[in-house]
């Protein structure tokens, strides 16, 4: 009986231990992530964003943000743990060991007369004839009488003094920490109950783990399905025009899982009529084109129409079920587009470089989805290579407003930004037809728009000049400046139902050959990580050049100051190509704003590797080689807005894609001829 009570008392401690082992480390990890959050972003303050309700901090929204499944589960587990601690400390009766001397109030080794005297004294106090209390009766029978008997019997007393127990040496006791009611159940019911506990405690976690692993094996680290990546790789082409990126984007496996209901037919038909002009249908054969469009897979039709509903801002009349699918599409869009960019710039054989044109098209599609601007608005007009799309992202702007201000020779967003504040307000109110409040909203958005500056240097560590085959290190300082003085801010995107951070893609590319030499994603939110990365990169570069500790410390301090002022250091490596002069361009593309991209020209001269394999200044190098090496190390940088080399091509047809294919084939053929002419030994038996 005592053994059963002891095991039962250990059951809460056993449960508390199992609960605390995973709960405490997980809570510490969650708190660590909460305290090391990224810099808080400031959202747009215009009236359009305020009416969207996306950033409204109501009490209900705060509760819903906290009341996630993981947070509520964590709180519930801590409540259970607190209850267990309280039960163990205050309710659970401590199991006492049998100590005769302590029960009789004597010191160990007391004489027989002292034992009898103490027994008589306690009998007067607890004997049933003297004390009618039932608890006194139980205490007298269970403890006092047994203690007196154990000490008056010579054998029991000797066993107690020698082994600590009146019955002599005790063996090892093994118990199970289960509640008392489980141990008292006999027969088949007890076995079934015990089997149920084993199933819940062992089999259920195993089943959950198997289901989780089977589901997680379908996704990558960025929560994108592996089937989606395979589909994107299959359909990605080097000549993929921006107008054709949509056809690849909607083939994601995540979108194929969205249900197609019969009740969606009528709303999708109405939506088709609203966005028909954006579907790139051949107007000469409009009937056959429409029939061809509806013959596609129903999920592809639904996905494309819903994406165009976002671009055309036609999502208001959608029914609840279709609106839920619409928001699901937009929620998945940023991560899918990010993976699509990575696939476009993924190094490919034979030269190990990615493709520039599809990468630009994917980023432009991301900009249009976030800002809810039609792809047709990127059609090249008068003096703007990006059409009227940059203007349509501003609040209260329409095509009519753009046409009105164009009469005053303001045809690009840059021209609007370069105007003085009073002059711009006068243009918007008097010429554009906006009210003073609407003009103030436009001013707030213009103050939030980022202005990007890029400084790039390419060098070979520890050497002068760049020779073919060298590993070239590119150092790029990307700086963001805003008129409101902020470094991090959420973009103005009232028609995108989710919070979207600004991400930038830095691409070092050869636009003529349609090749991306180096690419990297850039985010300005995490300043601590940027400080650590910049300090490490600058320190390693200076130490490789043999700089003194003082010079290294000064360079690191300068880099830290740059990061705090809104700059980020991007370091990349690529292998130098064959000898020649290369006109490269760096593209800093924003995935959330239209018209905020930056293109920087970079001229790179690659020298022929010396015959002895040494670098300029070595024993066999001549003065002419050294001079050529110094000339090769010079680089020219020109920063400019996007020109004719980077025009949006959403209005291009398939004929331009054929031209680009022929151009790429021509470039590849010229490169092959050049490589064959530079080879020292020819082989007449090689076959292509």
């Amino acid at each position: 009986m005592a053994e059963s009570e002891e095991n039962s008392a250990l059951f809460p401690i056993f449960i508390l231990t199992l609960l605390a082992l995973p709960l405490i480390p997980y809570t510490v990890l969650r708190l660590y992530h909460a305290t090391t959050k990224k810099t808080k972003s400031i959202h747009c303050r215009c009236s359009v964003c305020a009416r969207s309700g996306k950033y409204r901090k109501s009490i209900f929204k705060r509760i819903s943000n906290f009341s996630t499944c993981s947070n509520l589960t964590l709180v519930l587990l801590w409540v259970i743990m607190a209850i267990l601690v309280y039960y163990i400390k205050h309710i659970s009766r401590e199991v006492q060991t049998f100590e005769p001397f302590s029960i009789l109030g004597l010191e160990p080794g007391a004489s027989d007369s002292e034992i009898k005297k103490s027994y008589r004294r306690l009998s007067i106090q607890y004997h049933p004839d003297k004390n009618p209390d039932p608890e006194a009766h139980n205490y007298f029978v269970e403890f006092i009488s047994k203690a007196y008997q154990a000490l008056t019997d010579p054998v029991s007393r000797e066993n107690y003094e020698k082994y600590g127990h009146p019955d002599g040496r005790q063996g090892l006791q093994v118990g199970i920490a289960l509640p008392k009611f489980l141990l008292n159940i006999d027969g088949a019911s007890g076995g079934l109950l015990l089997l149920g506990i084993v199933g819940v405690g062992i089999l259920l976690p195993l089943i959950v783990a198997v289901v989780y692993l089977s589901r997680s094996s379908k996704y990558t680290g960025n929560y994108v399905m592996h089937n989606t990546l395979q589909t994107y790789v299959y359909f990605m082409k080097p000549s993929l025009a921006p107008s054709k990126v949509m056809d690849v984007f909607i083939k994601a496996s995540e979108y194929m899982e969205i249900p197609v209901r019969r009740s969606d037919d009528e709303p999708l038909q109405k939506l088709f009529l609203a966005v028909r002009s954006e579907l790139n249908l051949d107007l000469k054969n409009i009937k056959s084109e429409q029939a061809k469009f509806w013959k596609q897979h129903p999920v592809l039709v639904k996905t494309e129409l819903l994406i165009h509903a976002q671009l055309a801002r036609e999502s208001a009349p959608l029914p609840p079920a279709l609106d839920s699918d619409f928001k699901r599409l937009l929620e998945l869009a940023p991560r899918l587009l990010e993976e699509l960019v990575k696939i476009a710039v993924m190094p490919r054989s034979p030269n190990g470089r990615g493709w520039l044109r599809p990468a630009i098209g994917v980023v432009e599609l991301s900009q249009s989805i976030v800002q809810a601007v039609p792809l047709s608005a990127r059609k090249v007009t008068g003096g703007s290579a990006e059409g009227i799309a940059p203007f349509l992202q501003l609040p209260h702007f329409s095509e009519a407003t753009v046409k009105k201000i164009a009469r005053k020779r303001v045809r690009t967003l840059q021209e609007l930004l370069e105007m003085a504040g009073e002059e711009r307000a006068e243009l918007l109110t008097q010429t554009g037809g906006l009210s003073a409040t609407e003009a103030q909203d436009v001013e707030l958005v213009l103050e939030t728009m980022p202005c990007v500056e890029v400084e790039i240097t390419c060098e070979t560590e520890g050497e002068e000049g760049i020779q073919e085959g060298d590993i070239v290190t590119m150092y790029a300082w990307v700086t963001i400046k805003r008129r409101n003085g902020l470094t991090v801010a959420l973009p103005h995107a009232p028609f995108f139902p989710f919070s979207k951070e600004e991400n930038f893609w830095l691409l070092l590319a050869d636009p003529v050959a349609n090749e991306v030499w180096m690419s990297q994603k850039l985010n300005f939110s995490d300043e601590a990580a940027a400080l650590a990365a910049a300090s490490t990169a600058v320190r390693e570069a200076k130490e490789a050049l043999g700089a003194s500790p003082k010079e290294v410390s000064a360079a690191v301090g300068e880099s830290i100051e740059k990061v705090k002022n809104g700059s980020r250091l991007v370091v990349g490596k690529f292998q130098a190509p064959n000898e020649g002069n290369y006109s490269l361009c760096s593209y800093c593309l924003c995935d959330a704003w239209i018209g905020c991209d930056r293109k920087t020209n970079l001229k790179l001269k690659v020298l022929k590797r010396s015959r002895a394999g040494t670098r300029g200044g070595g024993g066999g190098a001549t003065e002419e080689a050294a001079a050529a090496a110094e000339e090769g190390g010079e680089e020219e940088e020109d920063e400019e807005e996007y020109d004719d080399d980077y025009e949006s091509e959403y209005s291009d047809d398939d004929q331009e894609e054929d031209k680009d294919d022929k151009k790429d084939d021509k470039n590849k053929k010229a490169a092959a001829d050049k490589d064959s002419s530079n080879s020292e030994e020819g082989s007449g038996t090689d076959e292509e």
Side-chain angles (χ1 to χ4, degrees):
M1 184 68 180
E3 182 180 353
S4 174
E5 292 179 357
E6 183 176 358
N7 293 333
S8 178
L10 293 177
F11 178 71
I13 301 176
F14 174 71
I15 296 298
L16 179 64
T17 305
L18 292 181
L19 187 61
L21 283 176
L23 183 60
I24 294 178
Y26 179 73
T27 305
V28 172
L29 186 63
R30 289 288 298 270
L31 293 176
Y32 172 77
H33 286 312
T35 54
T36 58
K37 266 188 175 180
K38 295 180 179 180
T39 307
K40 184 179 179 181
S41 302
I42 299 179
H43 59 80
C44 180
R45 304 290 182 179
C46 72
S47 61
V48 180
C49 288
R51 285 197 301 268
S52 68
K54 185 166 57 174
Y55 306 113
R56 187 174 300 139
K57 297 296 182 180
S58 63
I59 184 64
F60 300 103
K61 195 164 186 177
R62 292 178 182 177
I63 293 175
S64 63
N65 291 336
F66 174 78
S67 302
T68 59
C69 183
S70 60
N71 289 341
L72 292 179
T73 304
L74 189 64
V75 171
L76 180 60
L77 290 177
W78 273 106
V79 171
I80 295 174
M81 190 171 174
I83 293 174
L84 287 175
V85 171
Y86 179 81
Y87 176 81
I88 293 171
K89 186 176 181 181
H90 295 89
I91 300 177
S92 181
R93 182 176 62 85
E94 182 180 359
V95 179
Q96 300 177 355
T97 59
F98 184 73
E99 296 182 357
F101 287 106
S102 177
I103 294 172
L104 297 178
L106 299 173
E107 295 292 334
S111 61
D112 294 341
S113 60
E114 292 176 344
I115 292 173
K116 293 178 180 180
K117 183 178 179 181
S118 177
Y119 175 71
R120 294 191 196 98
R121 177 175 54 82
L122 293 175
S123 298
I124 297 173
Q125 184 177 358
Y126 292 101
H127 195 276
D129 296 339
K130 305 294 183 179
N131 190 342
D133 189 0
E135 293 184 1
H137 173 70
N138 293 333
Y139 183 72
F140 180 80
V141 174
E142 295 292 336
F143 292 93
I144 298 176
S145 297
K146 288 183 178 182
Y148 177 73
Q149 182 181 1
L151 295 179
T152 54
D153 183 30
V155 178
S156 299
R157 181 169 181 176
E158 182 181 0
N159 288 336
Y160 173 74
E161 292 177 350
K162 191 173 181 179
Y163 302 110
H165 197 278
D167 296 333
R169 185 188 298 272
Q170 299 295 304
L172 179 64
Q173 293 184 359
V174 179
I176 181 171
L178 289 177
K180 183 178 178 180
F181 68 91
L182 289 180
L183 299 176
N184 293 336
I185 295 179
D186 298 327
S189 59
L192 292 176
L193 186 57
L194 187 60
L195 183 62
I197 294 176
V198 173
V200 172
I202 298 177
L203 298 181
L204 183 61
L206 289 177
I207 294 174
V208 172
V210 170
V211 172
Y212 172 77
L213 292 176
S214 63
R215 290 178 58 87
S216 61
S217 62
K218 298 168 53 178
Y219 295 88
T220 64
N222 199 22
Y223 300 102
V224 176
M225 288 185 175
H226 291 288
N227 293 337
T228 298
L229 299 184
Q230 295 174 1
T231 303
Y232 284 171
V233 171
Y234 179 79
F235 287 100
M236 182 63 64
K237 297 179 181 179
S239 59
L240 188 66
S243 57
K244 303 297 182 181
V245 172
M246 175 76 76
D247 299 336
V248 179
F249 168 65
I250 62 176
K251 290 181 172 64
S253 298
E254 287 85 350
Y255 291 162
M256 300 301 291
E257 293 182 350
I258 294 179
V260 178
R261 314 173 191 87
R262 292 185 177 180
S263 58
D264 297 338
D265 293 342
E266 184 178 353
L268 290 178
Q269 289 283 352
K270 295 180 180 179
L271 188 58
F272 173 79
L273 297 176
V275 302
R276 182 172 52 183
S277 60
E278 300 291 333
L279 296 177
N280 293 327
L281 302 179
D282 187 4
L283 299 179
K284 297 180 181 178
N285 302 315
I286 187 64
K287 292 185 178 180
S288 61
E289 287 289 321
Q290 291 183 6
K292 182 180 178 181
F293 176 80
W294 287 105
K295 286 181 180 179
Q296 298 181 95
H297 195 284
V299 177
L300 295 179
V301 173
K302 180 178 180 178
T303 302
E304 186 170 1
L305 289 177
L306 291 179
I307 294 295
H308 278 290
Q310 165 68 7
L311 300 178
R313 303 179 183 179
E314 294 287 346
S315 60
L318 295 178
L322 201 57
D323 185 67
S324 177
D325 297 337
F326 170 75
K327 291 182 179 179
R328 178 61 178 166
L329 289 176
L330 296 184
E331 185 181 10
L332 296 173
R335 70 180 73 160
L336 294 177
L337 290 168
E338 179 181 341
E339 293 299 323
L340 198 53
V341 175
K342 292 179 181 178
I343 292 174
V345 300
M346 181 175 58
R348 292 172 173 85
S349 59
N351 51 14
R353 296 177 187 143
W355 298 326
L356 176 63
R357 191 179 186 189
I360 293 176
V362 175
V363 176
E364 288 183 345
L365 178 59
S366 175
Q367 296 172 354
S368 297
I369 290 177
V370 173
Q371 295 295 339
V373 174
L375 301 180
S376 60
R378 290 182 175 270
K379 192 174 182 179
V380 179
T381 58
S384 176
E386 294 186 336
I388 64 174
F391 288 107
L392 295 182
Q393 69 183 338
L394 300 177
H396 314 296
F397 260 70
S398 62
E399 294 186 18
T401 308
V402 177
K403 292 180 180 179
K404 291 179 182 178
I405 64 174
R407 299 171 187 170
K408 297 295 183 179
R409 297 184 178 180
V410 179
R411 297 183 176 88
T412 64
L413 182 63
Q414 187 63 28
E415 293 175 352
L416 184 65
L417 287 168
E418 291 175 353
M419 297 178 65
E422 296 180 357
E423 184 181 0
R424 183 166 51 246
E426 182 179 353
L427 173 71
L428 295 176
T429 53
Q430 297 184 6
T431 305
L434 302 182
S435 64
T437 304
E438 293 173 342
Q440 182 63 27
D441 287 340
V442 175
E443 192 68 27
L444 289 174
V445 174
L446 293 178
E447 290 178 356
T448 309
M449 294 184 69
C451 178
V452 184
E453 297 179 359
V454 182
E455 299 177 4
I456 294 183
T457 57
C458 293
E459 60 185 30
T460 304
E461 294 182 1
E463 302 290 348
E464 294 182 359
I466 299 175
Q467 294 185 5
E468 54 187 6
D470 286 347
I471 300 300
V472 183
T473 304
M474 183 204 73
Y475 296 93
W477 280 101
V478 182
T479 305
I480 276 188
K481 294 182 179 179
R482 306 179 199 267
R483 298 192 175 189
N484 55 13
L486 298 174
T487 301
V488 181
L490 294 177
H492 164 79
F495 297 97
F496 193 77
F498 304 98
S499 297
K500 175 71 175 67
E501 290 185 346
E502 296 174 342
N503 293 314
F504 295 84
W505 287 93
L506 184 65
L507 310 178
L508 182 64
D510 185 352
V512 178
N514 189 34
E515 294 177 345
V516 177
W517 292 25
M518 196 281 303
S519 63
Q520 186 167 333
K521 180 185 173 183
L522 188 62
N523 189 291
F524 283 75
S525 300
D526 197 347
E527 184 176 309
L531 287 171
S535 301
T536 303
V538 172
R539 181 181 294 105
E540 292 178 352
K542 291 297 181 182
E543 290 177 352
L545 295 175
S548 63
K550 186 176 181 180
E551 293 175 343
V552 173
S553 178
V556 170
E558 183 180 354
S559 66
I560 291 176
E561 190 65 26
K562 281 187 175 181
V563 172
K564 291 182 178 179
N565 291 333
S567 299
R568 298 292 184 267
L569 177 61
V570 179
V571 181
K573 296 180 182 293
F574 60 91
Q575 187 174 13
N578 296 330
E579 176 190 7
N581 296 323
Y582 295 87
S583 297
L584 305 180
C585 293
S586 71
Y587 297 86
C588 190
L589 310 176
C590 181
D591 66 349
W593 292 97
I594 303 176
C596 295
D597 304 332
R598 173 68 67 177
K599 176 184 175 183
T600 305
N601 294 330
L602 176 67
K603 294 183 179 180
L604 185 68
K605 185 173 183 179
V606 181
L607 303 175
K608 186 176 182 180
R609 180 167 290 280
S610 61
R611 185 173 302 174
T614 59
R615 304 304 310 270
T622 62
E623 293 181 1
E624 295 179 358
E630 292 178 0
E631 182 181 359
E634 296 179 0
E635 301 165 358
E636 298 179 4
E637 298 181 7
D638 297 320
E639 291 189 358
E640 58 184 24
E641 297 297 329
Y642 285 102
D643 51 15
D644 295 337
D645 292 336
Y646 178 42
E647 294 181 353
S648 298
E649 303 174 27
Y650 287 99
S651 59
D652 296 347
D653 52 14
D654 295 336
Q655 293 180 356
E656 290 200 9
E657 288 194 47
D658 297 337
K659 292 180 181 179
D660 291 332
D661 292 337
K662 294 179 181 179
K663 188 176 181 180
D664 292 339
D665 295 339
K666 186 177 180 181
N667 292 334
K668 292 179 181 178
K669 183 178 180 181
D673 295 339
K674 184 177 180 181
D675 293 340
S676 62
S677 63
N678 290 336
S679 61
E680 295 182 1
E681 297 181 0
S683 176
T685 61
D686 293 342
E687 294 181 2
E688 184 175 357

